[in-house]
Amino acid sequence: MPGLGLPHARALLPGLAVRPADPAGDARALAALAERCLRYTPWTAAERLPEDTAAPPGAGIWLDVTGCAHLFVAGNDDDGEHALVEDLQRHVAALGYDVRAALADTPGAAWGAARYATSAEAPCLVVPPGGIERRLPGLPVAALRLPEEAVADLDRLGLRRIADLKDIARAPLARRLGSVVRRQLDRFLGAEAEPISPHLPAKPYVEGVRFAEPIAHLDPVRRAAVRLLYRLCARLERDGRGARRLVLAFHLCDGGHAEATAGTGRAVRDPAHLLHLLAPQFEGLDLGFGADAVTLHAPRTDPLAPRQTVHAAAGGPPQDDEALAQLLDRLAGRLGARRIHRLAPFESHIPERAMRAAPPLGRLDWPRPSRLRPLRLLPWPEPVEATAAIPDGPPVLLRWRRQAHRVRRANGPERLAPEWWCDAPSGRDAARVRDYYRVELADGRRLWLFREGLYGAGGDDRPPRWFVHGSFA
């Protein structure tokens, strides 16, 4: 149940499957489902609850089917509302959702009926026109979308059903419990309008031009592409957005097509820069018998608000990373986007796992190092032969890269155990405990080395091994 602690839940059900919450992903899935409901009405919206109401179990989608029910009449059946709701329930259930659907005169009544007047045996309900006060007064007050505190206050007063609130004067009710109860009751009964913003599909950023006859020369086609690019950037500027990916398609007269694509590291609407990314792909473009149309599409865009360029002291260069972003875009166009990256910190105390490849732009929060470690590591740990005074002590002699070295000083160990939360291999390939030492050799060099494994470790018959992992400046 909601509010139950995870340890308590696992004690009740040891095999409980646990997944991290993803509110952003849930919102995207709900928006996608609302878009699929456009087959029933052009007016759909994912549920957006007022700030003063408690979030109910499950998520809902509003559909205004006014004037659409007759499209679902089958044969001589004149009851299109029942057919629409049943088809909606079957369609959403086929996508893998447990769905309840209700149709009523007001959004509040439909919301309450879907959650409190339906069941697994009867997942659909259609309230006839004018039937709210006859069919739904027996619902609990929670069907009014009230905060939990208001529901608890009404319960203490003995007001547990909507019918208990109908005959109470609105003014005393508002003074005692606040305006939210009065407002939600009026919305439920239809005495107060409830505006709900419909879901608007994403605006496609597409520009195109058709030629009077097929054109096989690249120069006029290139000039047409430039005009389309400037028109598209003007639209992006009006909407406060920038392109992240462009697709320039040439529709050939023989039915084929050719494409030129470009991607950017961040939102851009500078026509000159975008043209610079597309221009290299014009070379060697084969138009065959000619192209009769050209379209420019921006399938991915991001918000891009105007910003003020900050300049350094008088006479200095502008402090702006726009030039760096354009350089990275050009390099990505020539070398490939996957080859342009930088290292970013990763949550791991194993040294070789503490970095991951990240996009070249953006802010990184580097953690402050808590221990003295080398700034750079070897490409991979290099094995060495080591001799220690005691089995678990620091080394006194090393043989590394075919040369013998005497250890002058040693500091450590710093023990790193395998990360138990990661999917590590089992058996002889399992990860082992590491003891790291900082040592200074007789010639002055300082190394960072570790012993992998422990002497006398139970269940592990492999002898410990020594490796050099890095060096200090």
Side-chain angles (χ1 to χ4, degrees):
M1 65 182 65
L4 187 66
L6 181 58
H8 190 187
R10 279 177 165 167
L12 296 175
L13 186 63
L16 180 65
V18 180
R19 296 291 183 270
D22 184 14
D26 295 340
R28 290 193 297 269
L30 190 63
L33 186 59
E35 189 170 353
R36 297 196 64 150
C37 290
L38 290 173
R39 60 178 290 180
Y40 299 100
T41 172
W43 197 105
T44 66
E47 184 175 6
R48 295 291 185 269
L49 294 176
E51 296 181 357
D52 55 358
T53 61
I61 297 176
W62 304 102
L63 287 84
D64 187 349
V65 297
T66 304
C68 301
H70 69 281
L71 301 175
F72 293 84
V73 175
N76 296 326
D77 185 11
D78 58 352
D79 192 0
E81 293 183 347
H82 285 85
L84 184 150
V85 173
E86 292 174 358
D87 185 82
L88 169 67
Q89 192 274 336
R90 289 193 302 267
H91 177 71
V92 179
L95 300 176
Y97 294 97
D98 183 13
V99 61
R100 307 287 177 87
L103 190 150
D105 290 340
T106 65
W111 187 96
R115 283 169 171 78
Y116 296 96
T118 58
S119 61
E121 295 76 16
C124 300
L125 175 65
V126 175
V127 180
I132 294 179
E133 296 190 9
R134 297 193 307 271
R135 297 284 299 274
L136 302 181
L139 297 182
V141 293
L144 297 177
R145 293 173 291 166
L146 297 175
E148 294 181 359
E149 297 80 5
V151 174
D153 292 341
L154 291 171
D155 183 73
R156 285 193 295 268
L157 296 175
L159 304 175
R160 300 180 177 87
R161 301 289 175 182
I162 296 178
D164 301 334
L165 299 175
K166 288 179 54 181
D167 298 331
I168 299 179
R170 296 295 192 266
L173 186 66
R175 285 196 301 269
R176 183 68 180 269
L177 300 173
S179 61
V180 60
V181 177
R182 176 196 58 78
R183 183 174 66 249
Q184 293 302 108
L185 178 61
D186 289 342
R187 289 179 175 180
F188 183 90
L189 299 175
E192 179 179 334
E194 181 176 3
I196 299 176
S197 300
H199 168 79
L200 298 178
K203 182 189 301 183
Y205 288 98
V206 181
E207 296 289 341
V209 61
R210 288 186 173 275
F211 305 124
E213 59 183 12
I215 298 177
H217 297 285
L218 283 178
D219 289 340
V221 174
R222 185 186 293 110
R223 288 194 295 270
V226 172
R227 289 196 299 270
L228 295 179
L229 184 60
Y230 274 86
R231 282 161 49 183
L232 180 64
C233 290
R235 285 184 55 193
L236 292 172
E237 185 175 5
R238 287 195 300 268
D239 296 342
R241 304 189 67 85
R244 290 293 306 276
R245 187 168 180 268
L246 288 179
V247 178
L248 182 63
F250 304 91
H251 304 273
L252 308 182
C253 61
D254 58 0
H257 72 282
E259 287 186 354
T261 62
T264 62
R266 62 180 184 179
V268 176
R269 57 170 177 258
D270 181 10
H273 176 56
L274 296 175
L275 181 61
H276 193 84
L277 299 179
L278 291 171
Q281 304 185 45
F282 283 105
E283 304 299 332
L285 190 65
D286 185 11
L287 299 180
F289 294 101
D292 49 17
V294 179
T295 59
L296 180 64
H297 180 208
R300 181 183 175 187
T301 63
D302 286 344
L304 180 60
R307 58 190 181 91
Q308 178 68 40
T309 302
V310 180
H311 289 267
Q319 301 295 322
D320 189 10
D321 58 351
E322 188 69 28
L324 175 61
Q326 295 183 4
L327 173 62
L328 293 174
D329 291 341
R330 291 195 293 268
L331 291 176
R334 293 179 179 271
L335 305 177
R338 295 185 178 181
R339 297 187 179 183
I340 309 297
H341 62 269
R342 60 175 171 171
L343 296 179
F346 182 74
E347 291 288 344
S348 175
H349 59 266
I350 304 299
E352 60 267 28
R353 299 179 186 173
M355 296 291 173
R356 289 291 188 273
L361 292 176
R363 180 180 177 182
L364 296 179
D365 294 327
W366 287 88
R368 184 176 181 180
S370 58
R371 297 178 179 88
L372 182 59
R373 293 183 176 181
L375 295 179
R376 300 188 64 180
L377 303 179
L378 297 176
W380 51 81
E382 297 183 6
V384 296
E385 298 177 6
T387 302
I390 56 176
D392 289 332
V396 295
L397 292 174
L398 295 178
R399 185 172 182 82
W400 178 43
R401 295 178 179 177
R402 299 182 180 180
Q403 294 184 4
H405 303 274
R406 182 174 295 276
V407 177
R408 181 185 300 173
R409 297 182 181 88
N411 190 352
E414 176 191 350
R415 177 161 294 181
L416 299 181
E419 296 176 335
W420 55 267
W421 56 87
C422 298
D423 295 331
S426 59
R428 296 186 60 86
D429 295 331
R432 307 173 73 187
V433 174
R434 297 181 182 181
D435 283 344
Y436 278 85
Y437 293 89
R438 301 191 302 271
V439 301
E440 181 180 341
L441 305 181
D443 58 4
R445 283 186 294 176
R446 292 184 297 169
L447 302 178
W448 198 46
L449 51 87
F450 67 91
R451 183 185 63 246
E452 183 184 64
L454 301 175
Y455 289 98
D460 191 352
D461 56 351
R462 295 173 295 174
R465 299 183 299 171
W466 288 86
F467 295 88
V468 173
H469 208 166
S471 61
F472 296 90

